[in-house]
Amino acid sequence: MLVVKYPSYKVVILDKLDYCSSLKNVSRALRLCGGDRVKFVKGGIRSFDLVLHVLNTERIDTVMHFAAQSHVDNSFNNSFEFTKTNIEGTHVLLEACRLAQNAIRRFLHVSTDEVYGESALGELNNDSNTEHATLLAPTNPYAASKAGAGLLVMAYGRSYNLPFIITRGNNIYGPNQYPEKAIPNFTILAKLGKKYLFTETDWRAVVRARRRRGGRV
């Protein structure tokens, strides 16, 4: 937990409490640290006035941008919401950071490896297949919205000298994760004694990835 590991930090959480979130997930931090070091603000990142108000009143110097519509299956039937939250919401955050009274020292944008699209199995043997050599090629509305958001972050870095970091990891997992995601879903299925698909090809890829010194699988 961030506030436990770094006792000098003050954390302000901005979340609109969508269907997949709960205030109970941050209750332990609120209970341990109280209002002095952890504060929760209910609201969405598409509200420019709210975001700018929080940045100014709380004197924020680092933004960790996790907020996103992220369930791929939902993006096929409700793609506009992904564009609004992931692209417009990111743009609102960036513009608010640009206009904030307190200088933003770092903007951390959490993206996804899905912005690279699908990789052929034969690419596993391609040593040049590293992140910097891979083009963005999203194949679904969710991935496209995250790719667009990432490009906005890079543009603000170039145009306004906003210090930023973009992470493009695989499945993020942890306590209290909503069960629509792969790992908690498989865990629940296993506890219930239900079957799930296991493919030998994926296992070979995992073994090969473990032996690689670098690159991407």
Side-chain angles (χ1 to χ4, degrees):
M1 188 182 296
L2 192 64
V3 290
V4 174
K5 188 173 183 179
Y6 301 99
S8 63
Y9 287 10
K10 178 180 179 180
V11 177
V12 179
I13 304 166
L14 176 64
D15 196 305
K16 72 173 185 177
L17 295 179
D18 209 345
Y19 74 96
C20 56
S21 59
S22 172
L23 188 56
K24 293 179 180 179
N25 294 342
V26 295
S27 60
R28 179 168 177 256
L30 293 170
R31 189 169 58 252
L32 286 174
C33 305
D36 293 336
R37 293 182 48 224
V38 180
K39 182 176 182 178
F40 177 83
V41 178
K42 183 179 179 180
I45 58 172
R46 291 171 56 201
S47 175
F48 176 80
D49 290 339
L50 173 61
V51 172
L52 185 60
H53 173 74
V54 172
L55 290 177
N56 287 336
T57 57
E58 301 296 337
R59 299 186 59 81
I60 303 296
D61 61 15
T62 302
V63 174
M64 301 177 70
H65 177 26
F66 293 89
Q69 293 280 351
S70 61
H71 191 44
V72 176
D73 290 349
N74 291 344
S75 74
F76 290 107
N77 297 320
N78 196 14
S79 59
F80 282 133
E81 284 303 312
F82 283 71
T83 300
K84 291 174 184 177
T85 300
N86 298 352
I87 296 181
E88 181 186 341
T90 300
H91 198 170
V92 167
L93 279 176
L94 291 166
E95 187 65 7
C97 287
R98 183 177 75 86
L99 298 175
Q101 297 171 358
N102 200 45
I104 301 300
R105 297 169 54 191
R106 184 63 51 84
F107 187 99
L108 172 62
H109 176 62
V110 180
S111 188
T112 170
D113 64 339
E114 291 198 43
V115 299
Y116 298 122
E118 299 173 353
S119 299
L121 185 60
E123 290 181 352
L124 293 175
N125 295 318
N126 184 359
D127 291 335
S128 67
N129 187 29
T130 54
E131 181 175 315
H132 68 271
T134 305
L135 296 176
L136 301 182
T139 58
N140 59 69
Y142 159 64
S145 68
K146 293 297 287 185
L151 292 175
L152 275 170
V153 174
M154 289 188 285
Y156 267 71
R158 182 68 178 268
S159 299
Y160 304 111
N161 296 316
L162 179 68
F164 71 88
I165 293 176
I166 298 177
T167 65
R168 291 173 176 154
N170 197 259
N171 283 320
I172 297 176
Y173 65 95
N176 305 315
Q177 191 170 23
Y178 199 68
E180 69 184 6
K181 296 297 184 179
I183 292 177
N185 187 29
F186 288 163
T187 302
I188 291 173
L189 290 175
K191 285 184 176 181
L192 296 175
K194 296 184 178 181
K195 296 180 180 180
Y196 56 92
L197 181 64
F198 174 84
T199 61
E200 186 178 355
T201 300
D202 290 344
W203 174 245
R204 287 201 301 265
V206 171
V207 173
R208 186 173 297 179
R210 180 178 177 274
R211 295 174 179 173
R212 286 174 66 97
R213 293 185 177 180
R216 179 175 65 91
V217 174

